[in-house]
Amino acid sequence: MDFVTFFALAIPLVVVAVMVIAHPSPVYSALFLVMTLFLLAVYFLFLNAHMVAALQIIVYAGAIMVLFLFVIMLLNLQSDTLRTQRHGLGRVAIIGGVILLAELGLLLQGSSSELAESSLPENFGTVEALGSQLFTKYLLPFEITGILLLVAVVGAVVLAKR
Amino acid sequence: MQSFIDGLIASGVFGGLPAEAIYPAMMFLFASIVVFGFVLPLVTITIWLERRVWSRIQSRVGPNRVGPQGVLQGLADGVKNILKEDVVPDAADRPLFVFAPYLLVWGFLATFVVIPFSSALVIADLNVGILYIVAIVALSAVGVLMAGWASNNKWSLLGGIRSAAQVVSYEIPAGLALLPVVLLTGTLSTQGIIQAQGWAPWDWFLFHSPFTFIAAFAFYISALAETNRTPFDIPEAESELVAGFATEYSGFRFALFFLAEWGSLYVTGAIMAVLFLGGWQIPTGWTNNTVVLNIAQLTVFFLKAYFWVFLAMWIRATLPRIRVDQMMSLCWKYLVPLGFVNLVGTAVWMVIWPEGNTFVPYLMVVGTLALLVIFFRRVLYHLRRAKPELYFNPAI
């Protein structure tokens, strides 16, 4: 991924990501979030992670964001109703942001710019490589995630039946 | 594709231009050629064919005035739509209202990237080919929601919301129905799936086992629902919602909705041909000419794809629309459990017969042929007692 490609993608990505929280209309915010997730998927494509890019679009931009939009449009949320509500979440967000920046700084200290240039294995990012990693090295986290999702589905059914 | 452009650059056609500028320009050029020279005629001919097929099924004549047999009817409709006034309602959300039809058209155009028309004619043989199509279809649901909400109209909003619920629900049986094929081939690439099949019907995945046979039709039903085709066209149900999400649209943008709808109908047929009917596979060895071979493969692929397109037209002309609750229960109570049964069944089948059962495919081909023969005998019986002068006269 060269310099020009990186910034050609990074600048729009940051702009739409800021628009998600800056735009007063909830529908526009959700649509900007779709664009953010789509541009992230394009990033994954450029990083040779085709499978992750496809999954990103199917799961997040496709299914989850469509449901977000669905609920926002069904409830017909207006832009002014949300403006007046403040929960004091700003302070929590600032603390979270500082922690994230500190983590990123620590990570960047350990890495060097040559790391990104090192050659990738032949089948990096393909379905086969990702699948064999998931079912050998990362089997336990994979299964635990599966159980977590199953619990969430069962919980949703129980709540809906009440 | 890239090697072709690399060859052009090496031969010095572009002079000293940098390669970074040539690639996007050439991609843009090729995309335009594909859209205007291939996709637009394809869609207009599909629309004409659909109207003619409906007419014959309903004992009418259908459009036959523009061009020979009315082939150019789509062109005339397109010109008419472009010349009409493009109305944007005052209360509509203008940017989204204007943008939504383009998103839908992009959604079906982007799927053409991975459809292999012959062994050489594929724009990009992606490693995640089939998943890519699923992803693009999922994204185009956003376009329908956008159109419905931006129109600021109750019918449009209801249509958009129904469509979103439908696409999100039917993605799951569609995904489950293509998993048996992925299990059998061990690849998601469209070319890889076709190469794992053969030219003969008993080498197709449709007849590989009873499970893949059911999966094929489960996928077809789900695909019809995802593209909002009858009997699943409740997002634009005329008797309930005027025209659903397209109510407020007029002129060129309305034409774009139609383009997207019939374009994705062809895409559905093409995916069915790739997954279950062996794609472009033809008997080899009868010619050494690559061009002739590719044209033959292209013809076979089109015939297979248009078989499913014709089936969709037939369903649309004969079946009534189903209710919303029926649609949801069909998806979650029947197609999803069936998808899981197919998945597990195919896995067990592969454990018992790793190379595929040698007897069952022949049996299934013979059984299907017998069913078709009985069906066509009955159709002929009724045709003889109907109005043969209408049905057997193609010149009307």
Side-chain angles (χ1 to χ4, degrees):
Chain A
M1 195 166 200
D2 60 16
F3 193 75
V4 180
T5 327
F6 177 80
F7 280 101
L9 274 171
I11 293 168
L13 180 57
V14 171
V15 168
V16 292
V18 169
M19 288 305 277
V20 174
I21 50 172
H23 206 281
S25 160
V27 171
Y28 271 85
S29 284
L31 287 172
F32 276 120
L33 191 51
V34 174
M35 280 174 73
T36 313
L37 295 166
F38 182 76
L39 285 174
L40 262 182
V42 178
Y43 251 114
F44 287 131
L45 273 186
F46 275 102
L47 294 172
N48 282 331
H50 297 163
M51 180 72 180
V52 180
L55 289 181
Q56 167 95 7
I57 291 182
I58 294 174
V59 176
Y60 288 100
I64 292 182
M65 286 318 296
V66 168
L67 287 180
F68 270 36
L69 280 169
F70 185 92
V71 173
I72 292 171
M73 289 175 183
L74 195 66
L75 299 179
N76 203 8
L77 294 179
Q78 297 302 318
S79 27
D80 49 350
T81 54
L82 290 177
R83 263 291 161 90
T84 50
Q85 297 173 3
R86 292 197 178 273
H87 298 290
L89 284 172
R91 276 165 231 147
V92 183
I94 287 170
I95 294 169
V98 167
I99 293 173
L100 183 69
L101 276 182
E103 280 176 354
L104 282 178
L106 280 176
L107 278 175
L108 280 178
Q109 262 190 344
S111 70
S112 60
S113 58
E114 286 94 56
L115 196 67
E117 299 297 318
S118 65
S119 63
L120 295 166
E122 179 68 19
N123 59 352
F124 179 83
T126 61
V127 189
E128 294 86 353
L130 191 76
S132 59
Q133 287 284 306
L134 273 183
F135 281 99
T136 53
K137 197 176 170 188
Y138 300 103
L139 182 62
L140 187 66
F142 181 70
E143 295 287 342
I144 290 174
T145 316
I147 292 171
L148 189 69
L149 287 173
L150 183 67
V151 170
V153 170
V154 172
V157 171
V158 169
L159 283 179
K161 281 275 174 186
R162 273 200 183 151
Chain B
M1 187 66 215
Q2 193 177 4
S3 53
F4 175 68
I5 299 173
D6 281 337
L8 280 184
I9 292 171
S11 67
V13 179
F14 301 109
L17 282 171
E20 286 83 13
I22 292 173
Y23 281 134
M26 289 305 278
M27 276 163 78
F28 189 75
L29 184 70
F30 277 111
S32 313
I33 291 172
V34 167
V35 168
F36 290 108
F38 179 70
V39 176
L40 279 183
L42 184 80
V43 173
T44 50
I45 285 178
T46 311
I47 293 178
W48 166 77
L49 196 68
E50 168 137 26
R51 294 177 65 180
R52 289 291 271 182
V53 169
W54 285 352
S55 308
R56 289 299 159 112
I57 291 175
Q58 298 164 350
S59 288
R60 295 185 287 121
V61 175
N64 65 348
R65 294 288 121 182
V66 193
Q69 291 293 307
V71 172
L72 300 177
Q73 181 67 37
L75 198 65
D77 283 346
V79 170
K80 185 192 81 173
N81 270 316
I82 289 169
L83 291 179
K84 284 203 171 183
E85 188 189 355
D86 181 18
V87 183
V88 180
D90 263 352
D93 190 308
R94 197 182 165 91
L96 292 188
F97 187 86
V98 168
F99 179 64
Y102 298 111
L103 188 63
L104 275 173
V105 170
W106 169 82
F108 95 86
L109 282 181
T111 52
F112 276 86
V113 171
V114 292
I115 293 179
F117 294 101
S118 77
S119 52
L121 266 178
V122 57
I123 299 173
D125 184 20
L126 296 182
N127 179 259
V128 288
I130 286 294
L131 269 189
Y132 169 83
I133 292 179
V134 175
I136 296 295
V137 170
L139 255 191
S140 55
V142 177
V144 176
L145 261 180
M146 214 190 257
W149 184 80
S151 300
N152 205 355
N153 169 323
K154 276 177 193 144
W155 313 127
S156 302
L157 181 62
L158 275 175
I161 280 176
R162 280 181 179 192
S163 175
Q166 194 168 322
V167 171
V168 169
S169 310
Y170 276 89
E171 251 169 36
I172 295 160
L176 282 173
L178 53 87
L179 277 183
V181 173
V182 175
L183 267 187
L184 286 166
T185 54
T187 175
L188 288 170
S189 122
T190 43
Q191 290 284 39
I193 288 172
I194 291 177
Q195 275 150 11
Q197 303 175 64
W199 65 271
W202 47 86
D203 291 330
W204 296 347
F205 283 142
L206 180 66
F207 301 114
H208 184 270
S209 72
F211 298 110
T212 50
F213 190 77
I214 297 169
F217 288 96
F219 181 81
Y220 189 61
I221 293 169
S222 314
L224 284 186
E226 279 190 282
T227 49
N228 299 333
R229 293 282 305 184
T230 320
F232 304 101
D233 65 340
I234 56 166
E236 42 193 311
E238 290 88 353
S239 50
E240 303 160 24
L241 298 180
V242 191
F245 55 85
T247 304
E248 298 285 358
Y249 282 88
S250 55
F252 182 57
R253 290 179 219 290
F254 188 71
L256 286 182
F257 275 121
F258 269 76
L259 192 72
E261 186 177 337
W262 271 277
S264 37
L265 179 64
Y266 174 75
V267 170
T268 302
I271 298 169
M272 283 298 293
V274 167
L275 286 177
F276 297 104
L277 290 194
W280 41 256
Q281 288 276 13
I282 51 167
T284 47
W286 51 274
T287 176
N288 288 324
N289 191 331
T290 332
V291 178
V292 173
L293 189 73
N294 274 297
I295 288 173
Q297 287 172 339
L298 189 70
T299 316
V300 167
F301 186 84
F302 262 76
L303 286 178
K304 285 172 178 173
Y306 265 99
F307 167 75
W308 296 104
V309 172
F310 174 75
L311 205 59
M313 294 168 180
W314 190 0
I315 290 170
R316 182 163 183 168
T318 42
L319 287 185
R321 181 181 302 129
I322 65 174
R323 288 199 316 264
V324 184
D325 60 319
Q326 288 170 333
M327 181 201 82
M328 280 298 164
S329 68
L330 174 70
C331 173
W332 293 105
K333 292 182 185 163
Y334 300 96
L335 287 178
V336 170
L338 203 64
F340 282 119
V341 169
N342 282 331
L343 185 58
V344 175
T346 309
V348 172
W349 193 275
M350 285 173 70
V351 171
I352 301 174
W353 295 288
E355 300 298 316
N357 192 311
T358 44
F359 177 63
V360 170
Y362 295 104
L363 191 72
M364 289 180 63
V365 172
V366 171
T368 311
L369 281 179
L371 271 177
L372 283 178
V373 166
I374 294 170
F375 174 75
F376 280 111
R377 280 174 61 102
R378 288 198 67 98
V379 170
L380 280 177
Y381 174 86
H382 286 289
L383 276 186
R384 275 198 299 272
R385 276 148 190 80
K387 282 184 182 166
E389 70 275 11
L390 178 64
Y391 289 96
F392 294 122
N393 187 356
I396 294 179

